[in-house]
Amino acid sequence: MTDTVQRNLNFPEWPQYDDAEKTGLMRALEQGQWWRIGGQEVELFEEEFAAYHGAPHALAVTSGTHALELALQVMGVGPGTEVIVPAFTFISSSQAAQRLGAVAVPVDVDPATYCIDVRTTEAAITDRTRAIMPVHMAGVVADMDALEKLSADSGVGLLQDAAHAHGAEWRGRRVGDLGSVAAFSFQNGKLMTAGEGGAVTFPEAEQYELAFLRHSCGRPRTDRSYLHRTSGSNFRMNEFSASVLRAQLARLDSQIETREQRWPLLAELLSGIPGVEPQGGDARCTRNPHYMAMFRIPGITEERRNAVVDALIERGLPAFAAFRAVYRTAAFWEMAAPQEGVEDIARRCPHSEALTRDCVWLHHRTLLGTEEQMHAIADVVADVLGRS
Ligand SMILES: *Cc1c(COP(=O)(O)O)cnc(C)c1O
């Protein structure tokens, strides 16, 4: 590797911050009250986040995992119910359902977009199914037209796992404006972050009010008599996190703009490398915030893929092996799981099986780099695969 290429790989750092975060943190500090009931930052952040996503209501919480758990609970998920999740996703999608005592039912994903396959979803619906959880993989919005129709026809609710989809749009509408509940994450690697954190957007006031109660130990906002109205837990976001997230939200559009310019170039360069297939999009996803730059190396073994990832890291790329199908983890089988063996599920999820072996992703900070750096990324990938 030449020095020039090495120099080319100094991508912007993540997370990013400037005086806006510092000012926000001092503002929260000097309020004298550091939780949401005494301060203003969480409330203002919720208003700004809801407005940005076209949602009537947003509730800030402690993590994306908690956001999913709370949303599912509000949708009536509990013991005796089932939640359909894509097999290829971060484990929180299935874990949130399982934590509530529900069975997580993994179904296969589309081999190009890596989003939930609607036909296999339809086939998995039973009279116990209480929710379908599409994941907008790396910012590609799942087929919401077909999912909304399936939801209307079956009466099963949709919960969008929007942990990768801050600012994403489906046919010009933000994910909070699509008529279903959406859950977001603000963990350190996500597109906007306070280290940890999450949010849920709601189309209906009633769901939002119930979620507020449940996220605050079942206690109404103004309660002074310990009259806890519902069961719940403490998922409240603190004022410091919210103050940082307000600054992060204000910076999001310009970052999305840069990533939307870089990805088509990088995808084109990657697809020019024999054996490499970048993640496909969907023309109806009119805004993709690009949480990951993902590509597949079809036919590669898992072992060799892992060696490729190690080599990419060694050459200076922030590269990662993609998620493992959720049913290929010990965690999945520790809680309520389908009455099927792992190999039975694997047989009906061939694309998730393949993605577990052959998919690689690069951190989104690469897409905040220069055009020249997109060429450098493709050069390194081609070089490592020995096919340049
Ligand atoms: C990050 C992530 C989550 C969970 O978010 P945390 O804030 O880390 O709890 C859920 N779903 C998906 C798809 C994620 O990538």
Side-chain angles (χ1 to χ4, degrees), residues 62-68 88-93 133 135-137 161-164 183-188 190 195-198 291-292 323:
T62 33
S63 73
T65 308
H66 285 165
L68 291 170
F88 180 72
T89 178
F90 184 65
I91 194 82
S92 292
S93 310
M133 190 193 297
V135 177
H136 303 318
M137 185 55 64
D161 181 338
H164 306 172
F184 298 82
S185 165
F186 308 124
Q187 175 270 336
N188 197 69
K190 296 291 155 69
E196 300 284 1
Y291 171 59
M292 299 181 269
F323 308 121

PDB file of all heavy atoms in Angstrom, residues 62-68 88-93 133 135-137 161-164 183-188 190 195-198 291-292 323, ligand 1:
ATOM      1  N   THR A  62     -34.229   5.657  26.748  1.00  0.00           N
ATOM      2  CA  THR A  62     -32.839   5.384  27.114  1.00  0.00           C
ATOM      3  C   THR A  62     -32.019   4.665  26.041  1.00  0.00           C
ATOM      4  O   THR A  62     -30.799   4.740  26.065  1.00  0.00           O
ATOM      5  CB  THR A  62     -32.834   4.545  28.400  1.00  0.00           C
ATOM      6  OG1 THR A  62     -33.994   3.697  28.386  1.00  0.00           O
ATOM      7  CG2 THR A  62     -32.902   5.420  29.630  1.00  0.00           C
ATOM      8  N   SER A  63     -32.662   3.927  25.129  1.00  0.00           N
ATOM      9  CA  SER A  63     -31.915   3.230  24.073  1.00  0.00           C
ATOM     10  C   SER A  63     -32.861   2.815  22.958  1.00  0.00           C
ATOM     11  O   SER A  63     -34.094   2.823  23.133  1.00  0.00           O
ATOM     12  CB  SER A  63     -31.213   1.980  24.633  1.00  0.00           C
ATOM     13  OG  SER A  63     -32.152   0.958  24.891  1.00  0.00           O
ATOM     14  N   GLY A  64     -32.280   2.402  21.855  1.00  0.00           N
ATOM     15  CA  GLY A  64     -33.089   1.898  20.747  1.00  0.00           C
ATOM     16  C   GLY A  64     -33.764   0.579  21.110  1.00  0.00           C
ATOM     17  O   GLY A  64     -34.889   0.311  20.689  1.00  0.00           O
ATOM     18  N   THR A  65     -33.074  -0.234  21.890  1.00  0.00           N
ATOM     19  CA  THR A  65     -33.651  -1.500  22.331  1.00  0.00           C
ATOM     20  C   THR A  65     -34.878  -1.238  23.201  1.00  0.00           C
ATOM     21  O   THR A  65     -35.928  -1.866  23.027  1.00  0.00           O
ATOM     22  CB  THR A  65     -32.600  -2.315  23.117  1.00  0.00           C
ATOM     23  OG1 THR A  65     -31.402  -2.398  22.325  1.00  0.00           O
ATOM     24  CG2 THR A  65     -33.082  -3.710  23.424  1.00  0.00           C
ATOM     25  N   HIS A  66     -34.757  -0.307  24.120  1.00  0.00           N
ATOM     26  CA  HIS A  66     -35.901   0.066  24.957  1.00  0.00           C
ATOM     27  C   HIS A  66     -37.023   0.684  24.119  1.00  0.00           C
ATOM     28  O   HIS A  66     -38.203   0.490  24.416  1.00  0.00           O
ATOM     29  CB  HIS A  66     -35.465   1.039  26.054  1.00  0.00           C
ATOM     30  CG  HIS A  66     -34.709   0.374  27.160  1.00  0.00           C
ATOM     31  ND1 HIS A  66     -33.964   1.071  28.079  1.00  0.00           N
ATOM     32  CD2 HIS A  66     -34.576  -0.937  27.477  1.00  0.00           C
ATOM     33  CE1 HIS A  66     -33.417   0.214  28.935  1.00  0.00           C
ATOM     34  NE2 HIS A  66     -33.759  -1.003  28.581  1.00  0.00           N
ATOM     35  N   ALA A  67     -36.657   1.437  23.084  1.00  0.00           N
ATOM     36  CA  ALA A  67     -37.666   2.044  22.208  1.00  0.00           C
ATOM     37  C   ALA A  67     -38.515   0.943  21.568  1.00  0.00           C
ATOM     38  O   ALA A  67     -39.746   1.034  21.532  1.00  0.00           O
ATOM     39  CB  ALA A  67     -36.993   2.897  21.133  1.00  0.00           C
ATOM     40  N   LEU A  68     -37.859  -0.115  21.086  1.00  0.00           N
ATOM     41  CA  LEU A  68     -38.583  -1.236  20.472  1.00  0.00           C
ATOM     42  C   LEU A  68     -39.457  -1.949  21.499  1.00  0.00           C
ATOM     43  O   LEU A  68     -40.621  -2.273  21.245  1.00  0.00           O
ATOM     44  CB  LEU A  68     -37.597  -2.237  19.868  1.00  0.00           C
ATOM     45  CG  LEU A  68     -36.806  -1.771  18.631  1.00  0.00           C
ATOM     46  CD1 LEU A  68     -35.701  -2.769  18.298  1.00  0.00           C
ATOM     47  CD2 LEU A  68     -37.735  -1.599  17.433  1.00  0.00           C
ATOM     48  N   PHE A  88     -32.284 -11.293   9.348  1.00  0.00           N
ATOM     49  CA  PHE A  88     -31.017 -10.565   9.213  1.00  0.00           C
ATOM     50  C   PHE A  88     -31.196  -9.155   9.765  1.00  0.00           C
ATOM     51  O   PHE A  88     -31.744  -8.265   9.102  1.00  0.00           O
ATOM     52  CB  PHE A  88     -30.594 -10.514   7.741  1.00  0.00           C
ATOM     53  CG  PHE A  88     -29.300  -9.787   7.495  1.00  0.00           C
ATOM     54  CD1 PHE A  88     -28.089 -10.350   7.872  1.00  0.00           C
ATOM     55  CD2 PHE A  88     -29.290  -8.547   6.871  1.00  0.00           C
ATOM     56  CE1 PHE A  88     -26.883  -9.678   7.640  1.00  0.00           C
ATOM     57  CE2 PHE A  88     -28.093  -7.864   6.642  1.00  0.00           C
ATOM     58  CZ  PHE A  88     -26.886  -8.442   7.023  1.00  0.00           C
ATOM     59  N   THR A  89     -30.771  -8.962  11.010  1.00  0.00           N
ATOM     60  CA  THR A  89     -30.887  -7.657  11.681  1.00  0.00           C
ATOM     61  C   THR A  89     -30.027  -7.689  12.925  1.00  0.00           C
ATOM     62  O   THR A  89     -29.480  -8.738  13.300  1.00  0.00           O
ATOM     63  CB  THR A  89     -32.358  -7.366  12.077  1.00  0.00           C
ATOM     64  OG1 THR A  89     -32.431  -6.096  12.771  1.00  0.00           O
ATOM     65  CG2 THR A  89     -32.911  -8.429  13.019  1.00  0.00           C
ATOM     66  N   PHE A  90     -29.888  -6.536  13.576  1.00  0.00           N
ATOM     67  CA  PHE A  90     -29.245  -6.516  14.888  1.00  0.00           C
ATOM     68  C   PHE A  90     -30.182  -7.203  15.886  1.00  0.00           C
ATOM     69  O   PHE A  90     -31.409  -7.080  15.781  1.00  0.00           O
ATOM     70  CB  PHE A  90     -28.954  -5.067  15.313  1.00  0.00           C
ATOM     71  CG  PHE A  90     -28.205  -4.973  16.606  1.00  0.00           C
ATOM     72  CD1 PHE A  90     -26.908  -5.453  16.709  1.00  0.00           C
ATOM     73  CD2 PHE A  90     -28.801  -4.425  17.737  1.00  0.00           C
ATOM     74  CE1 PHE A  90     -26.220  -5.382  17.912  1.00  0.00           C
ATOM     75  CE2 PHE A  90     -28.109  -4.348  18.936  1.00  0.00           C
ATOM     76  CZ  PHE A  90     -26.819  -4.825  19.024  1.00  0.00           C
ATOM     77  N   ILE A  91     -29.615  -7.896  16.854  1.00  0.00           N
ATOM     78  CA  ILE A  91     -30.375  -8.783  17.754  1.00  0.00           C
ATOM     79  C   ILE A  91     -31.489  -8.068  18.527  1.00  0.00           C
ATOM     80  O   ILE A  91     -32.472  -8.692  18.935  1.00  0.00           O
ATOM     81  CB  ILE A  91     -29.400  -9.508  18.724  1.00  0.00           C
ATOM     82  CG1 ILE A  91     -30.074 -10.676  19.443  1.00  0.00           C
ATOM     83  CG2 ILE A  91     -28.796  -8.543  19.719  1.00  0.00           C
ATOM     84  CD1 ILE A  91     -30.130 -11.940  18.649  1.00  0.00           C
ATOM     85  N   SER A  92     -31.371  -6.749  18.722  1.00  0.00           N
ATOM     86  CA  SER A  92     -32.413  -6.026  19.475  1.00  0.00           C
ATOM     87  C   SER A  92     -33.799  -6.202  18.874  1.00  0.00           C
ATOM     88  O   SER A  92     -34.794  -6.184  19.606  1.00  0.00           O
ATOM     89  CB  SER A  92     -32.109  -4.527  19.515  1.00  0.00           C
ATOM     90  OG  SER A  92     -30.973  -4.284  20.283  1.00  0.00           O
ATOM     91  N   SER A  93     -33.877  -6.349  17.564  1.00  0.00           N
ATOM     92  CA  SER A  93     -35.194  -6.478  16.923  1.00  0.00           C
ATOM     93  C   SER A  93     -35.937  -7.682  17.504  1.00  0.00           C
ATOM     94  O   SER A  93     -37.114  -7.580  17.862  1.00  0.00           O
ATOM     95  CB  SER A  93     -35.052  -6.628  15.404  1.00  0.00           C
ATOM     96  OG  SER A  93     -34.220  -5.637  14.859  1.00  0.00           O
ATOM     97  N   MET A 133     -42.279  -6.325  12.315  1.00  0.00           N
ATOM     98  CA  MET A 133     -41.237  -5.322  12.540  1.00  0.00           C
ATOM     99  C   MET A 133     -40.266  -5.215  11.355  1.00  0.00           C
ATOM    100  O   MET A 133     -39.242  -5.880  11.331  1.00  0.00           O
ATOM    101  CB  MET A 133     -40.444  -5.673  13.803  1.00  0.00           C
ATOM    102  CG  MET A 133     -39.501  -4.561  14.247  1.00  0.00           C
ATOM    103  SD  MET A 133     -38.304  -5.114  15.486  1.00  0.00           S
ATOM    104  CE  MET A 133     -39.346  -5.581  16.841  1.00  0.00           C
ATOM    105  N   VAL A 135     -37.217  -3.715   9.378  1.00  0.00           N
ATOM    106  CA  VAL A 135     -36.013  -2.948   9.698  1.00  0.00           C
ATOM    107  C   VAL A 135     -35.585  -2.242   8.416  1.00  0.00           C
ATOM    108  O   VAL A 135     -35.456  -2.895   7.373  1.00  0.00           O
ATOM    109  CB  VAL A 135     -34.880  -3.881  10.196  1.00  0.00           C
ATOM    110  CG1 VAL A 135     -33.598  -3.090  10.456  1.00  0.00           C
ATOM    111  CG2 VAL A 135     -35.317  -4.630  11.449  1.00  0.00           C
ATOM    112  N   HIS A 136     -35.376  -0.944   8.472  1.00  0.00           N
ATOM    113  CA  HIS A 136     -34.941  -0.190   7.286  1.00  0.00           C
ATOM    114  C   HIS A 136     -33.421  -0.326   7.196  1.00  0.00           C
ATOM    115  O   HIS A 136     -32.669   0.530   7.678  1.00  0.00           O
ATOM    116  CB  HIS A 136     -35.371   1.267   7.395  1.00  0.00           C
ATOM    117  CG  HIS A 136     -36.851   1.443   7.565  1.00  0.00           C
ATOM    118  ND1 HIS A 136     -37.777   0.702   6.851  1.00  0.00           N
ATOM    119  CD2 HIS A 136     -37.576   2.266   8.368  1.00  0.00           C
ATOM    120  CE1 HIS A 136     -39.003   1.068   7.209  1.00  0.00           C
ATOM    121  NE2 HIS A 136     -38.908   2.013   8.138  1.00  0.00           N
ATOM    122  N   MET A 137     -32.988  -1.439   6.581  1.00  0.00           N
ATOM    123  CA  MET A 137     -31.580  -1.835   6.678  1.00  0.00           C
ATOM    124  C   MET A 137     -30.620  -0.814   6.072  1.00  0.00           C
ATOM    125  O   MET A 137     -30.674  -0.532   4.877  1.00  0.00           O
ATOM    126  CB  MET A 137     -31.402  -3.216   6.015  1.00  0.00           C
ATOM    127  CG  MET A 137     -30.007  -3.806   6.140  1.00  0.00           C
ATOM    128  SD  MET A 137     -29.386  -3.947   7.844  1.00  0.00           S
ATOM    129  CE  MET A 137     -30.539  -5.115   8.554  1.00  0.00           C
ATOM    130  N   ASP A 161     -38.555  -0.634  12.760  1.00  0.00           N
ATOM    131  CA  ASP A 161     -37.270  -0.482  13.444  1.00  0.00           C
ATOM    132  C   ASP A 161     -36.464   0.488  12.592  1.00  0.00           C
ATOM    133  O   ASP A 161     -35.891   0.123  11.568  1.00  0.00           O
ATOM    134  CB  ASP A 161     -36.560  -1.837  13.585  1.00  0.00           C
ATOM    135  CG  ASP A 161     -35.228  -1.716  14.322  1.00  0.00           C
ATOM    136  OD1 ASP A 161     -34.667  -0.598  14.357  1.00  0.00           O
ATOM    137  OD2 ASP A 161     -34.746  -2.738  14.842  1.00  0.00           O
ATOM    138  N   ALA A 162     -36.477   1.758  13.026  1.00  0.00           N
ATOM    139  CA  ALA A 162     -35.851   2.835  12.256  1.00  0.00           C
ATOM    140  C   ALA A 162     -34.500   3.222  12.856  1.00  0.00           C
ATOM    141  O   ALA A 162     -34.067   4.366  12.744  1.00  0.00           O
ATOM    142  CB  ALA A 162     -36.789   4.036  12.195  1.00  0.00           C
ATOM    143  N   ALA A 163     -33.822   2.239  13.473  1.00  0.00           N
ATOM    144  CA  ALA A 163     -32.528   2.514  14.102  1.00  0.00           C
ATOM    145  C   ALA A 163     -31.479   2.975  13.096  1.00  0.00           C
ATOM    146  O   ALA A 163     -30.469   3.572  13.473  1.00  0.00           O
ATOM    147  CB  ALA A 163     -32.025   1.260  14.837  1.00  0.00           C
ATOM    148  N   HIS A 164     -31.738   2.700  11.789  1.00  0.00           N
ATOM    149  CA  HIS A 164     -30.805   3.119  10.733  1.00  0.00           C
ATOM    150  C   HIS A 164     -31.418   4.219   9.863  1.00  0.00           C
ATOM    151  O   HIS A 164     -30.876   4.524   8.808  1.00  0.00           O
ATOM    152  CB  HIS A 164     -30.470   1.936   9.802  1.00  0.00           C
ATOM    153  CG  HIS A 164     -29.959   0.718  10.479  1.00  0.00           C
ATOM    154  ND1 HIS A 164     -29.769  -0.477   9.820  1.00  0.00           N
ATOM    155  CD2 HIS A 164     -29.570   0.491  11.759  1.00  0.00           C
ATOM    156  CE1 HIS A 164     -29.307  -1.399  10.660  1.00  0.00           C
ATOM    157  NE2 HIS A 164     -29.184  -0.831  11.854  1.00  0.00           N
ATOM    158  N   ALA A 183     -39.299   3.213  15.772  1.00  0.00           N
ATOM    159  CA  ALA A 183     -38.351   3.260  16.896  1.00  0.00           C
ATOM    160  C   ALA A 183     -36.956   3.576  16.380  1.00  0.00           C
ATOM    161  O   ALA A 183     -36.498   3.001  15.392  1.00  0.00           O
ATOM    162  CB  ALA A 183     -38.344   1.911  17.621  1.00  0.00           C
ATOM    163  N   PHE A 184     -36.273   4.497  17.062  1.00  0.00           N
ATOM    164  CA  PHE A 184     -34.955   4.988  16.663  1.00  0.00           C
ATOM    165  C   PHE A 184     -33.924   4.727  17.759  1.00  0.00           C
ATOM    166  O   PHE A 184     -34.279   4.623  18.932  1.00  0.00           O
ATOM    167  CB  PHE A 184     -35.005   6.499  16.423  1.00  0.00           C
ATOM    168  CG  PHE A 184     -35.926   6.922  15.313  1.00  0.00           C
ATOM    169  CD1 PHE A 184     -37.296   7.047  15.540  1.00  0.00           C
ATOM    170  CD2 PHE A 184     -35.445   7.199  14.048  1.00  0.00           C
ATOM    171  CE1 PHE A 184     -38.158   7.441  14.519  1.00  0.00           C
ATOM    172  CE2 PHE A 184     -36.288   7.594  13.020  1.00  0.00           C
ATOM    173  CZ  PHE A 184     -37.646   7.713  13.255  1.00  0.00           C
ATOM    174  N   SER A 185     -32.658   4.680  17.345  1.00  0.00           N
ATOM    175  CA  SER A 185     -31.547   4.533  18.298  1.00  0.00           C
ATOM    176  C   SER A 185     -30.592   5.715  18.168  1.00  0.00           C
ATOM    177  O   SER A 185     -30.359   6.215  17.067  1.00  0.00           O
ATOM    178  CB  SER A 185     -30.772   3.241  18.010  1.00  0.00           C
ATOM    179  OG  SER A 185     -29.519   3.251  18.672  1.00  0.00           O
ATOM    180  N   PHE A 186     -30.022   6.123  19.312  1.00  0.00           N
ATOM    181  CA  PHE A 186     -28.989   7.165  19.317  1.00  0.00           C
ATOM    182  C   PHE A 186     -27.694   6.641  19.939  1.00  0.00           C
ATOM    183  O   PHE A 186     -26.935   7.382  20.556  1.00  0.00           O
ATOM    184  CB  PHE A 186     -29.484   8.405  20.069  1.00  0.00           C
ATOM    185  CG  PHE A 186     -30.812   8.907  19.600  1.00  0.00           C
ATOM    186  CD1 PHE A 186     -31.869   9.053  20.489  1.00  0.00           C
ATOM    187  CD2 PHE A 186     -31.027   9.227  18.259  1.00  0.00           C
ATOM    188  CE1 PHE A 186     -33.109   9.516  20.068  1.00  0.00           C
ATOM    189  CE2 PHE A 186     -32.271   9.682  17.827  1.00  0.00           C
ATOM    190  CZ  PHE A 186     -33.312   9.831  18.733  1.00  0.00           C
ATOM    191  N   GLN A 187     -27.476   5.347  19.800  1.00  0.00           N
ATOM    192  CA  GLN A 187     -26.243   4.720  20.293  1.00  0.00           C
ATOM    193  C   GLN A 187     -25.060   5.343  19.543  1.00  0.00           C
ATOM    194  O   GLN A 187     -25.215   5.924  18.470  1.00  0.00           O
ATOM    195  CB  GLN A 187     -26.371   3.189  20.098  1.00  0.00           C
ATOM    196  CG  GLN A 187     -25.162   2.374  20.445  1.00  0.00           C
ATOM    197  CD  GLN A 187     -24.243   2.208  19.260  1.00  0.00           C
ATOM    198  OE1 GLN A 187     -24.667   2.308  18.121  1.00  0.00           O
ATOM    199  NE2 GLN A 187     -22.971   1.977  19.539  1.00  0.00           N
ATOM    200  N   ASN A 188     -23.887   5.204  20.082  1.00  0.00           N
ATOM    201  CA  ASN A 188     -22.685   5.886  19.614  1.00  0.00           C
ATOM    202  C   ASN A 188     -22.432   5.821  18.103  1.00  0.00           C
ATOM    203  O   ASN A 188     -21.957   6.771  17.502  1.00  0.00           O
ATOM    204  CB  ASN A 188     -21.479   5.303  20.347  1.00  0.00           C
ATOM    205  CG  ASN A 188     -20.255   6.189  20.269  1.00  0.00           C
ATOM    206  OD1 ASN A 188     -20.233   7.256  20.859  1.00  0.00           O
ATOM    207  ND2 ASN A 188     -19.250   5.778  19.519  1.00  0.00           N
ATOM    208  N   LYS A 190     -24.702   5.348  15.704  1.00  0.00           N
ATOM    209  CA  LYS A 190     -25.863   5.671  14.870  1.00  0.00           C
ATOM    210  C   LYS A 190     -25.729   7.053  14.229  1.00  0.00           C
ATOM    211  O   LYS A 190     -24.821   7.815  14.540  1.00  0.00           O
ATOM    212  CB  LYS A 190     -27.149   5.539  15.684  1.00  0.00           C
ATOM    213  CG  LYS A 190     -27.401   4.094  16.156  1.00  0.00           C
ATOM    214  CD  LYS A 190     -27.737   3.135  15.020  1.00  0.00           C
ATOM    215  CE  LYS A 190     -27.412   1.683  15.283  1.00  0.00           C
ATOM    216  NZ  LYS A 190     -28.204   1.003  16.278  1.00  0.00           N
ATOM    217  N   GLY A 195     -24.229   8.981  22.577  1.00  0.00           N
ATOM    218  CA  GLY A 195     -23.588   7.838  23.211  1.00  0.00           C
ATOM    219  C   GLY A 195     -24.563   6.682  23.346  1.00  0.00           C
ATOM    220  O   GLY A 195     -24.320   5.576  22.887  1.00  0.00           O
ATOM    221  N   GLU A 196     -25.680   6.951  24.003  1.00  0.00           N
ATOM    222  CA  GLU A 196     -26.807   6.025  24.098  1.00  0.00           C
ATOM    223  C   GLU A 196     -28.079   6.849  23.984  1.00  0.00           C
ATOM    224  O   GLU A 196     -28.054   8.068  24.166  1.00  0.00           O
ATOM    225  CB  GLU A 196     -26.825   5.283  25.447  1.00  0.00           C
ATOM    226  CG  GLU A 196     -25.596   4.442  25.757  1.00  0.00           C
ATOM    227  CD  GLU A 196     -25.529   3.116  25.002  1.00  0.00           C
ATOM    228  OE1 GLU A 196     -26.437   2.826  24.186  1.00  0.00           O
ATOM    229  OE2 GLU A 196     -24.550   2.377  25.228  1.00  0.00           O
ATOM    230  N   GLY A 197     -29.194   6.178  23.743  1.00  0.00           N
ATOM    231  CA  GLY A 197     -30.483   6.867  23.688  1.00  0.00           C
ATOM    232  C   GLY A 197     -31.368   6.277  22.616  1.00  0.00           C
ATOM    233  O   GLY A 197     -30.897   5.499  21.775  1.00  0.00           O
ATOM    234  N   GLY A 198     -32.639   6.608  22.673  1.00  0.00           N
ATOM    235  CA  GLY A 198     -33.584   6.131  21.670  1.00  0.00           C
ATOM    236  C   GLY A 198     -34.819   7.010  21.652  1.00  0.00           C
ATOM    237  O   GLY A 198     -34.963   7.911  22.499  1.00  0.00           O
ATOM    238  N   TYR A 291     -26.848   4.534   6.735  1.00  0.00           N
ATOM    239  CA  TYR A 291     -26.244   4.182   8.021  1.00  0.00           C
ATOM    240  C   TYR A 291     -25.007   3.287   7.856  1.00  0.00           C
ATOM    241  O   TYR A 291     -24.100   3.314   8.694  1.00  0.00           O
ATOM    242  CB  TYR A 291     -27.279   3.502   8.926  1.00  0.00           C
ATOM    243  CG  TYR A 291     -26.671   2.913  10.176  1.00  0.00           C
ATOM    244  CD1 TYR A 291     -25.978   3.722  11.075  1.00  0.00           C
ATOM    245  CD2 TYR A 291     -26.762   1.553  10.440  1.00  0.00           C
ATOM    246  CE1 TYR A 291     -25.399   3.184  12.202  1.00  0.00           C
ATOM    247  CE2 TYR A 291     -26.189   1.010  11.568  1.00  0.00           C
ATOM    248  CZ  TYR A 291     -25.503   1.827  12.446  1.00  0.00           C
ATOM    249  OH  TYR A 291     -24.923   1.291  13.557  1.00  0.00           O
ATOM    250  N   MET A 292     -24.981   2.478   6.805  1.00  0.00           N
ATOM    251  CA  MET A 292     -23.800   1.645   6.546  1.00  0.00           C
ATOM    252  C   MET A 292     -23.585   1.601   5.045  1.00  0.00           C
ATOM    253  O   MET A 292     -24.530   1.744   4.281  1.00  0.00           O
ATOM    254  CB  MET A 292     -24.006   0.200   7.038  1.00  0.00           C
ATOM    255  CG  MET A 292     -24.257   0.062   8.524  1.00  0.00           C
ATOM    256  SD  MET A 292     -24.450  -1.676   9.055  1.00  0.00           S
ATOM    257  CE  MET A 292     -26.216  -1.899   8.901  1.00  0.00           C
ATOM    258  N   PHE A 323     -24.274  -8.492  10.394  1.00  0.00           N
ATOM    259  CA  PHE A 323     -25.020  -9.234  11.412  1.00  0.00           C
ATOM    260  C   PHE A 323     -25.072 -10.721  11.078  1.00  0.00           C
ATOM    261  O   PHE A 323     -25.042 -11.117   9.925  1.00  0.00           O
ATOM    262  CB  PHE A 323     -26.478  -8.728  11.481  1.00  0.00           C
ATOM    263  CG  PHE A 323     -26.601  -7.243  11.639  1.00  0.00           C
ATOM    264  CD1 PHE A 323     -27.282  -6.489  10.692  1.00  0.00           C
ATOM    265  CD2 PHE A 323     -26.053  -6.603  12.736  1.00  0.00           C
ATOM    266  CE1 PHE A 323     -27.412  -5.110  10.832  1.00  0.00           C
ATOM    267  CE2 PHE A 323     -26.186  -5.231  12.890  1.00  0.00           C
ATOM    268  CZ  PHE A 323     -26.860  -4.489  11.927  1.00  0.00           C
TER     269      PHE A 323
HETATM  270  C1  LIG B   1     -28.652  -0.235  16.975  1.00  0.00           C
HETATM  271  C2  LIG B   1     -29.875  -1.025  16.662  1.00  0.00           C
HETATM  272  C3  LIG B   1     -30.893  -1.229  17.600  1.00  0.00           C
HETATM  273  C4  LIG B   1     -30.747  -0.948  19.086  1.00  0.00           C
HETATM  274  O1  LIG B   1     -30.346   0.273  19.455  1.00  0.00           O
HETATM  275  P1  LIG B   1     -29.561   0.520  20.858  1.00  0.00           P
HETATM  276  O2  LIG B   1     -29.729   1.992  21.022  1.00  0.00           O
HETATM  277  O3  LIG B   1     -28.160   0.101  20.642  1.00  0.00           O
HETATM  278  O4  LIG B   1     -30.248  -0.249  21.922  1.00  0.00           O
HETATM  279  C5  LIG B   1     -32.062  -1.835  17.191  1.00  0.00           C
HETATM  280  N1  LIG B   1     -32.212  -2.259  15.932  1.00  0.00           N
HETATM  281  C6  LIG B   1     -31.251  -2.123  15.005  1.00  0.00           C
HETATM  282  C7  LIG B   1     -31.509  -2.621  13.626  1.00  0.00           C
HETATM  283  C8  LIG B   1     -30.038  -1.520  15.350  1.00  0.00           C
HETATM  284  O5  LIG B   1     -29.064  -1.426  14.438  1.00  0.00           O
END
